[in-house]
Amino acid sequence: MMVNDGIYCTLLSHVRKENSLHRITMKCCEDLMSQSQDIHNLVDKRVSQEVENNCLRLRLISFDG
């Protein structure tokens, strides 16, 4: 039995399993990576909405004053 043989290699047989710790860990990592990108998008949207709301308040204050 050779280490490089894909059928008998312990690491490769472990990684290929559907619910292996390796696959679960890789999925968690991918989820965290995409989540961080989503957070930046949400912050950008919130900041732009706050700027728009503040501009509207300033217009209303100027109009009332």
Side-chain angles (χ1 to χ4, degrees):
M1 181 166 33
M2 295 189 58
V3 175
N4 293 333
D5 189 0
I7 296 172
Y8 300 109
C9 178
T10 307
L11 177 63
L12 291 178
S13 63
H14 166 74
V15 170
R16 289 183 183 142
K17 288 182 183 177
E18 187 64 32
N19 290 325
S20 70
L21 185 58
H22 176 78
R23 284 191 185 225
I24 293 170
T25 305
M26 290 297 293
K27 176 70 173 132
C28 289
C29 180
E30 289 171 6
D31 291 346
L32 284 172
M33 297 280 284
S34 66
Q35 182 182 21
S36 67
Q37 293 172 357
D38 289 341
I39 289 172
H40 289 298
N41 290 335
L42 290 173
V43 168
D44 289 343
K45 287 179 184 176
R46 182 172 178 165
V47 167
S48 63
Q49 183 64 39
E50 287 178 1
V51 168
E52 186 177 322
N53 290 343
N54 289 339
C55 287
L56 180 60
R57 283 190 198 113
L58 284 173
R59 282 188 229 132
L60 290 174
I61 290 171
S62 296
F63 183 72
D64 289 340

